[in-house]
Amino acid sequence: YGENKSIPLNRRFFAGGSNDIRGYAPFQLGPGSINSNDITINGGEIKLLAQTEARQTFVRDLLGANWIASWFVDAGNVWYGPQNDFRDRSDVDQLEQGRFKFDNFYNQIAVSSGLGLRLDWEYVVVRFDFAFRAHDLDLGWFNNRDMNFHFGIGHSF
């Protein structure tokens, strides 16, 4: 209201988790290249997300479900908007690392990939995903060997 230029928490975008960039835990990614341990309020006003998934049924009608193998790639991040200034003025450098800048945003895109199992009943799909970070914003390309497990109901997109 008035001069406040920060967006409320319930209107922010978040990144990471079973329906998002699966190489990260929920709310763990962004804004920008800021490490999630260094911020107190997650999320941002701008979100970029691209997902693709290839699925192949390998067993039909076992326990009433089709068993589907999947390979997926997720990419994206969240950023502070151009007018966001909710941080303390002593933290201007960190604010700038999280702000969307057209000439640098592509360096701040996290990429994850992995394999999954889908149990597809007529009325519900249950997902088990195993993902790793192909592009970790702290460690670079293919330097993070940590595996993340996600469970979900319904397709991720």
Side-chain angles (χ1 to χ4, degrees):
Y1 180 78
E3 293 297 316
N4 187 357
K5 294 180 181 174
S6 66
I7 194 163
L9 192 60
N10 64 342
R11 301 281 183 176
R12 299 174 75 77
F13 294 115
F14 300 94
S18 65
N19 293 319
D20 208 283
I21 301 168
R22 290 169 268 192
Y24 290 81
F27 314 114
Q28 186 182 23
L29 181 59
S33 60
I34 301 173
N35 190 310
S36 63
N37 297 327
D38 296 337
I39 58 174
T40 55
I41 300 175
N42 260 348
E45 292 88 7
I46 298 170
K47 181 173 185 174
L48 175 67
L49 176 64
Q51 295 180 304
T52 187
E53 185 168 300
R55 302 179 189 129
Q56 177 63 47
T57 302
F58 65 93
V59 176
R60 293 195 182 277
D61 199 26
L62 177 63
L63 302 174
N66 291 330
W67 293 56
I68 302 169
S70 69
W71 171 69
F72 58 86
V73 177
D74 308 320
N77 204 343
V78 295
W79 291 270
Y80 296 132
Q83 297 182 356
N84 187 317
D85 66 353
F86 74 87
R87 295 211 165 262
D88 181 12
R89 295 286 180 205
S90 65
D91 210 2
V92 172
D93 290 338
Q94 188 176 33
L95 177 62
E96 291 305 313
Q97 288 176 345
R99 193 178 303 281
F100 182 87
K101 293 184 181 175
F102 193 73
D103 61 344
N104 191 40
F105 80 95
Y106 52 87
N107 292 322
Q108 298 174 334
I109 293 177
V111 179
S112 68
S113 182
L115 300 173
L117 173 67
R118 313 285 182 254
L119 301 180
D120 185 4
W121 287 276
E122 262 187 54
Y123 49 88
V124 69
V125 175
V126 177
R127 294 183 288 119
F128 304 94
D129 291 327
F130 299 90
F132 72 94
R133 296 178 188 176
H135 181 231
D136 188 302
L137 298 181
D138 294 329
L139 302 175
W141 286 95
F142 303 107
N143 289 323
N144 188 334
R145 305 244 186 258
D146 295 338
M147 186 68 66
N148 292 286
F149 170 75
H150 291 285
F151 170 79
I153 296 181
H155 288 296
S156 64
F157 56 93

